[in-house]
Each structure stands twice: as structure tokens, then as C-alpha cells.
Amino acid sequence: MRRPVLLVIAHGSRDPRHAATVHALVARVRSLRPGLRVETGFLDFNVPSVHGVLRSLAAEGVRDVVALPLLLTRAFHAKADIPAVLRDAPGRLRIRQADVLGPSPLLLSALERRLYEAGLSPAGKSSTGVVLASAGSSDPEAIAVIADIAREWWHTGWCAVRPAFASASLPRTEDAVRELRALGCERVAVAPYVLAPGFLPDRIARGAAGADVLAEVLGPAPEVARVVLERYDSARRPALTALGA
């Protein structure tokens, strides 16, 4: 049976680093699953658009597509924008929308590795406070997920972990940094829980000025690519089960 095409749907940005990072992540996904066709579409600012990719696939005769939101939480884009775009797809396409990437233990592993790449040592984990810095959202579900991830990550041995947000919600990164200092953590590190560079990640970086360590964005980390494939496999599994595959 031919595997569905994986369509990775990214938000898009005027910042060219965003699209470059998305394409690097998609290239890593392809390297992990040779033979799987992976396409990229953007909701805004960048090309190709999601509409354009879907029309091209339909014109080629593709029938099955798994559309994967390149998002870390289920907020407005995953609940409204992307379903609306997919509803406008050519009728001959069978499209299943995969879950967003987070939360996932693999993403926590990626966050931790980014911190170690930035200069932290595993030996100093218990004396280091971490700011889990997200882009932010007005969606209560998304905010609650970030808080849950922070609590889960703290239980792995950090001095403390505090969530922070670059927009729409509080606290800001700089406020969380000050709170961890006040708690007495010997070091404070900021871990951006974002996929690609851009306006809000830059705001996170400015808020991390008082921290000892600022990690890179998740970007094309191998753990992120593995989560992409996990979500793809989960989205196509009902069809496989129904066919006895």
C-alpha cells in the first residue's frame, strides 16, 4: 500500500531564518524515513502555501495526505486555521490532520541537549534553574500544557523550572529569570520551547539577558524529527488497522 504523503504545515514568518529552519527540519525527517514523500507548506508569509501544495498534490493524482501542524501546542492555529485550510483542499484528496508535536518526552530530551550544547553540564543540573520559554498563547489549554511540561521537567532533577511566555501570557522570560535567582539557584538557564528563530524567539533572547545560559531553539534537532514521524504514524494508523496492515 502506498504511504500517504506527509505535508508539514508551518506558520511562516517574514524572518528568513524561520523558513530555513523549517526546511532543515524537513530534510532531517526525510533522512530518517527514506522513501517517504514529505512536502512543506506555509500558512503565511512564505511559499509554497498550504493551498498551493494541496492543489499540486491533487493534480499529480495523490489521494492520501497526512497534514502535520508544525506546532508545539494545540492552540488557535491547530484548532481553527489549519482545519479551515484543509477543508478547502481539492475534494479528491483524503486528508488526516496529525496531532501537534507537543508534549513529548523526546522534546524534553531535545531541550535538555540544547542546554548542554550551550554550556551547561549534567553535573550541575540540581543547582540550575531553568526557564521554559514559550512563544505564548491566549488559549488556556496551551498555557496549561506549558505549565505541565515545566512541572514534569523539574521532576527530572533541576533546581527549579519555571514557564515563561514571549506574548499573550505572563510571566515574561526576564521575570522568570529573576524568580529563579530569588529562589537561590546557582545558575539560571533559558530553554526556548520554540521550533525556529523569529520575532518572538528574539524577544525570549532579550529577556534572557540576566541568565547564565541561553540555549538555541529546537530547530532541526533529531528528536524533533522523530516526533514528526511519530505523529505521522499515529495519524495513518486507523487506516492501516482498518485495512489489516
Side-chain angles (χ1 to χ4, degrees):
M1 184 183 68
R2 181 174 297 178
R3 289 179 290 186
V5 171
L6 169 57
L7 172 58
V8 174
I9 301 179
H11 182 273
S13 171
R14 293 186 178 91
D15 189 322
R17 297 174 297 169
H18 174 89
T21 302
V22 170
H23 290 310
L25 173 59
V26 169
R28 188 178 286 275
V29 172
R30 292 189 181 111
S31 73
L32 292 177
R33 188 73 61 88
L36 172 63
R37 182 172 178 181
V38 187
E39 300 290 342
T40 308
F42 295 91
L43 290 173
D44 207 353
F45 303 116
N46 302 105
V47 291
S49 69
V50 177
H51 280 299
V53 174
L54 290 172
R55 286 195 299 269
S56 295
L57 291 173
E60 290 178 32
V62 170
R63 296 296 303 277
D64 292 299
V65 176
V66 169
L68 186 143
L70 202 61
L71 301 168
L72 294 171
T73 57
R74 262 184 57 79
F76 182 79
H77 293 305
K79 294 177 178 179
D81 282 353
I82 292 175
V85 171
L86 298 180
R87 282 194 296 270
D88 287 339
R92 65 182 64 91
L93 290 174
R94 291 190 293 261
I95 302 175
R96 293 186 286 275
Q97 181 176 329
D99 288 337
V100 297
L101 301 183
S104 167
L106 283 170
L107 295 179
L108 282 182
S109 297
L111 286 167
E112 199 150 315
R113 189 162 58 78
R114 287 290 190 238
L115 286 172
Y116 295 146
E117 290 170 351
L120 285 184
S121 165
K125 187 172 182 176
S126 63
S127 57
T128 301
V130 178
V131 178
L132 179 68
S134 168
S137 173
S138 58
D139 188 305
E141 178 188 350
I143 297 304
V145 166
I146 299 300
D148 288 344
I149 293 170
R151 281 191 291 270
E152 179 183 348
W153 205 14
W154 170 58
H155 287 302
T156 68
W158 296 102
C159 173
V161 180
R162 293 291 184 271
F165 307 94
S167 68
S169 310
L170 295 174
R172 295 286 184 257
T173 302
E174 52 269 33
D175 300 325
V177 169
R178 284 193 290 267
E179 181 184 351
L180 291 171
R181 293 282 186 211
L183 281 175
C185 298
E186 290 183 16
R187 284 171 303 279
V188 175
V190 174
Y193 190 58
V194 293
L195 288 168
F199 176 75
L200 293 179
D202 284 349
R203 181 180 287 177
I204 290 172
R206 291 193 296 272
D212 301 295
V213 171
L214 170 63
E216 293 290 333
V217 299
L218 292 170
E223 296 92 343
V224 179
R226 288 169 58 195
V227 176
V228 168
L229 290 172
E230 283 185 356
R231 298 295 183 257
Y232 169 81
D233 290 337
S234 294
R236 63 189 290 259
R237 191 165 293 131
L240 291 176
T241 302
L243 292 170

